[in-house]
Short mmCIF file of all heavy atoms in Angstrom, two decimals:
data_model
loop_
_atom_site.label_atom_id
_atom_site.label_comp_id
_atom_site.label_asym_id
_atom_site.label_seq_id
_atom_site.Cartn_x
_atom_site.Cartn_y
_atom_site.Cartn_z
N LEU A 631 -9.87 -104.94 65.77
CA LEU A 631 -10.30 -104.73 67.15
C LEU A 631 -11.46 -105.66 67.49
O LEU A 631 -11.33 -106.59 68.27
CB LEU A 631 -10.70 -103.28 67.38
CG LEU A 631 -11.20 -102.96 68.80
CD1 LEU A 631 -10.15 -103.32 69.83
CD2 LEU A 631 -11.59 -101.51 68.92
N LYS A 632 -12.62 -105.43 66.90
CA LYS A 632 -13.77 -106.31 67.13
C LYS A 632 -14.24 -106.96 65.84
O LYS A 632 -14.52 -108.14 65.80
CB LYS A 632 -14.92 -105.52 67.76
CG LYS A 632 -14.66 -105.17 69.23
CD LYS A 632 -15.89 -104.58 69.86
CE LYS A 632 -15.66 -104.27 71.33
NZ LYS A 632 -15.48 -105.48 72.12
N SER A 633 -14.36 -106.19 64.80
CA SER A 633 -14.76 -106.74 63.51
C SER A 633 -14.10 -105.94 62.41
O SER A 633 -13.70 -104.79 62.62
CB SER A 633 -16.29 -106.71 63.35
OG SER A 633 -16.74 -105.37 63.36
N ALA A 634 -13.99 -106.55 61.24
CA ALA A 634 -13.37 -105.88 60.11
C ALA A 634 -13.85 -106.53 58.83
O ALA A 634 -14.35 -107.66 58.84
CB ALA A 634 -11.84 -105.95 60.20
N THR A 635 -13.72 -105.81 57.73
CA THR A 635 -14.03 -106.35 56.42
C THR A 635 -12.73 -106.59 55.68
O THR A 635 -11.94 -105.66 55.50
CB THR A 635 -14.91 -105.36 55.63
OG1 THR A 635 -16.09 -105.07 56.39
CG2 THR A 635 -15.31 -105.93 54.28
N LEU A 636 -12.48 -107.85 55.31
CA LEU A 636 -11.25 -108.22 54.62
C LEU A 636 -11.46 -108.18 53.11
O LEU A 636 -12.45 -108.72 52.61
CB LEU A 636 -10.79 -109.62 55.04
CG LEU A 636 -10.57 -109.86 56.54
CD1 LEU A 636 -10.08 -111.27 56.76
CD2 LEU A 636 -9.60 -108.85 57.11
N SER A 637 -10.54 -107.56 52.40
CA SER A 637 -10.67 -107.46 50.95
C SER A 637 -9.29 -107.32 50.34
O SER A 637 -8.37 -106.75 50.96
CB SER A 637 -11.53 -106.26 50.56
OG SER A 637 -11.51 -106.05 49.17
N THR A 638 -9.14 -107.84 49.12
CA THR A 638 -7.88 -107.66 48.40
C THR A 638 -7.83 -106.30 47.72
O THR A 638 -6.79 -105.92 47.20
CB THR A 638 -7.72 -108.75 47.33
OG1 THR A 638 -8.90 -108.77 46.51
CG2 THR A 638 -7.54 -110.12 47.98
N SER A 639 -8.96 -105.57 47.71
CA SER A 639 -9.01 -104.27 47.05
C SER A 639 -9.40 -103.19 48.06
O SER A 639 -10.37 -103.35 48.80
CB SER A 639 -10.04 -104.29 45.92
OG SER A 639 -10.28 -102.98 45.45
N PRO A 640 -8.67 -102.06 48.08
CA PRO A 640 -9.06 -100.95 48.97
C PRO A 640 -10.40 -100.34 48.59
O PRO A 640 -10.98 -99.60 49.36
CB PRO A 640 -7.93 -99.93 48.78
CG PRO A 640 -6.81 -100.67 48.15
CD PRO A 640 -7.42 -101.77 47.35
N ALA A 641 -10.90 -100.65 47.39
CA ALA A 641 -12.17 -100.08 46.94
C ALA A 641 -13.36 -100.69 47.66
O ALA A 641 -14.46 -100.14 47.62
CB ALA A 641 -12.33 -100.30 45.44
N CYS A 642 -13.18 -101.81 48.33
CA CYS A 642 -14.30 -102.47 49.02
C CYS A 642 -14.65 -101.71 50.30
O CYS A 642 -13.78 -101.53 51.17
CB CYS A 642 -13.94 -103.91 49.36
SG CYS A 642 -15.24 -104.79 50.27
N PRO A 643 -15.88 -101.24 50.45
CA PRO A 643 -16.25 -100.52 51.67
C PRO A 643 -16.49 -101.50 52.82
O PRO A 643 -16.74 -102.68 52.59
CB PRO A 643 -17.56 -99.83 51.28
CG PRO A 643 -18.15 -100.74 50.26
CD PRO A 643 -17.00 -101.36 49.51
N PRO A 644 -16.41 -101.04 54.06
CA PRO A 644 -16.70 -101.94 55.19
C PRO A 644 -18.18 -102.27 55.25
O PRO A 644 -19.03 -101.48 54.83
CB PRO A 644 -16.26 -101.12 56.41
CG PRO A 644 -16.37 -99.70 55.96
CD PRO A 644 -16.03 -99.68 54.50
N PHE A 645 -18.49 -103.46 55.77
CA PHE A 645 -19.88 -103.85 55.94
C PHE A 645 -20.52 -103.02 57.05
O PHE A 645 -19.83 -102.44 57.90
CB PHE A 645 -19.99 -105.33 56.29
CG PHE A 645 -19.64 -106.26 55.16
CD1 PHE A 645 -19.52 -107.62 55.38
CD2 PHE A 645 -19.41 -105.78 53.88
CE1 PHE A 645 -19.20 -108.48 54.34
CE2 PHE A 645 -19.08 -106.63 52.84
CZ PHE A 645 -18.97 -107.98 53.07
N ILE A 646 -21.84 -102.98 57.04
CA ILE A 646 -22.56 -102.22 58.07
C ILE A 646 -22.33 -102.85 59.44
O ILE A 646 -22.05 -104.04 59.54
CB ILE A 646 -24.08 -102.17 57.77
CG1 ILE A 646 -24.68 -103.58 57.74
CG2 ILE A 646 -24.37 -101.44 56.48
CD1 ILE A 646 -26.19 -103.60 57.66
N PRO A 647 -22.41 -102.05 60.51
CA PRO A 647 -22.21 -102.60 61.86
C PRO A 647 -23.27 -103.65 62.19
O PRO A 647 -24.35 -103.68 61.61
CB PRO A 647 -22.34 -101.37 62.77
CG PRO A 647 -22.14 -100.19 61.88
CD PRO A 647 -22.62 -100.60 60.53
N LEU A 648 -22.94 -104.52 63.14
CA LEU A 648 -23.88 -105.55 63.58
C LEU A 648 -25.02 -104.92 64.37
O LEU A 648 -24.86 -103.87 65.00
CB LEU A 648 -23.17 -106.57 64.46
CG LEU A 648 -22.07 -107.40 63.78
CD1 LEU A 648 -21.32 -108.20 64.82
CD2 LEU A 648 -22.65 -108.33 62.73
N ASN A 649 -26.19 -105.58 64.31
CA ASN A 649 -27.34 -105.13 65.09
C ASN A 649 -27.31 -105.79 66.45
O ASN A 649 -27.58 -106.99 66.57
CB ASN A 649 -28.64 -105.51 64.35
CG ASN A 649 -28.76 -104.85 63.01
OD1 ASN A 649 -28.79 -103.63 62.90
ND2 ASN A 649 -28.82 -105.65 61.95
N PHE A 650 -26.97 -105.01 67.49
CA PHE A 650 -26.90 -105.56 68.84
C PHE A 650 -28.21 -105.29 69.57
O PHE A 650 -28.66 -104.14 69.64
CB PHE A 650 -25.74 -104.93 69.62
CG PHE A 650 -24.38 -105.38 69.15
CD1 PHE A 650 -23.24 -104.66 69.46
CD2 PHE A 650 -24.24 -106.52 68.38
CE1 PHE A 650 -21.99 -105.06 69.03
CE2 PHE A 650 -23.00 -106.94 67.93
CZ PHE A 650 -21.88 -106.21 68.26
N GLU A 651 -28.79 -106.34 70.12
CA GLU A 651 -30.03 -106.20 70.89
C GLU A 651 -29.75 -105.84 72.34
O GLU A 651 -30.54 -105.17 72.98
CB GLU A 651 -30.83 -107.50 70.83
CG GLU A 651 -31.35 -107.84 69.44
CD GLU A 651 -32.48 -106.94 68.98
OE1 GLU A 651 -33.16 -106.38 69.85
OE2 GLU A 651 -32.67 -106.79 67.77
N ALA A 652 -28.63 -106.29 72.89
CA ALA A 652 -28.28 -106.01 74.29
C ALA A 652 -27.17 -104.97 74.32
O ALA A 652 -26.12 -105.16 73.72
CB ALA A 652 -27.83 -107.29 74.99
N ALA A 653 -27.44 -103.87 75.02
CA ALA A 653 -26.44 -102.81 75.11
C ALA A 653 -25.56 -103.04 76.34
O ALA A 653 -26.05 -103.43 77.39
CB ALA A 653 -27.13 -101.45 75.21
N PRO A 654 -24.23 -102.80 76.22
CA PRO A 654 -23.37 -102.92 77.40
C PRO A 654 -23.69 -101.82 78.40
O PRO A 654 -23.63 -100.64 78.06
CB PRO A 654 -21.95 -102.77 76.82
CG PRO A 654 -22.12 -102.10 75.51
CD PRO A 654 -23.48 -102.45 75.00
N ILE A 655 -24.07 -102.21 79.61
CA ILE A 655 -24.53 -101.21 80.58
C ILE A 655 -23.95 -101.43 81.97
O ILE A 655 -23.88 -100.51 82.77
CB ILE A 655 -26.07 -101.21 80.63
CG1 ILE A 655 -26.60 -99.99 81.36
CG2 ILE A 655 -26.60 -102.49 81.27
CD1 ILE A 655 -28.06 -99.78 81.21
N VAL A 656 -23.52 -102.66 82.28
CA VAL A 656 -22.99 -102.97 83.61
C VAL A 656 -21.46 -102.93 83.55
O VAL A 656 -20.86 -103.61 82.72
CB VAL A 656 -23.47 -104.35 84.08
CG1 VAL A 656 -22.87 -104.69 85.43
CG2 VAL A 656 -24.98 -104.39 84.15
N ARG A 657 -20.86 -102.15 84.42
CA ARG A 657 -19.40 -102.01 84.38
C ARG A 657 -18.78 -102.28 85.74
O ARG A 657 -19.41 -102.06 86.78
CB ARG A 657 -19.00 -100.62 83.88
CG ARG A 657 -19.55 -99.46 84.70
CD ARG A 657 -19.10 -98.13 84.11
NE ARG A 657 -19.62 -97.94 82.77
CZ ARG A 657 -19.14 -97.03 81.91
NH1 ARG A 657 -18.16 -96.25 82.28
NH2 ARG A 657 -19.66 -96.88 80.71
N VAL A 658 -17.54 -102.77 85.70
CA VAL A 658 -16.76 -103.00 86.93
C VAL A 658 -15.34 -102.52 86.69
O VAL A 658 -14.86 -102.49 85.55
CB VAL A 658 -16.73 -104.50 87.33
CG1 VAL A 658 -18.09 -104.97 87.79
CG2 VAL A 658 -16.21 -105.36 86.19
N ALA A 659 -14.69 -102.12 87.76
CA ALA A 659 -13.27 -101.77 87.71
C ALA A 659 -12.45 -102.99 88.10
O ALA A 659 -12.81 -103.72 89.03
CB ALA A 659 -12.97 -100.61 88.66
N ILE A 660 -11.36 -103.24 87.37
CA ILE A 660 -10.55 -104.45 87.56
C ILE A 660 -9.10 -104.06 87.81
O ILE A 660 -8.58 -103.14 87.18
CB ILE A 660 -10.65 -105.37 86.32
CG1 ILE A 660 -12.09 -105.77 86.08
CG2 ILE A 660 -9.78 -106.59 86.48
CD1 ILE A 660 -12.30 -106.56 84.81
#
Side-chain angles (χ1 to χ4, degrees):
L631 178 57
K632 287 188 178 293
S633 63
T635 303
L636 303 182
S637 172
T638 53
S639 169
C642 178
F645 290 172
I646 61 171
L648 296 171
N649 298 299
F650 289 162
E651 294 289 335
I655 194 168
V656 178
R657 58 180 63 196
V658 291
I660 300 175

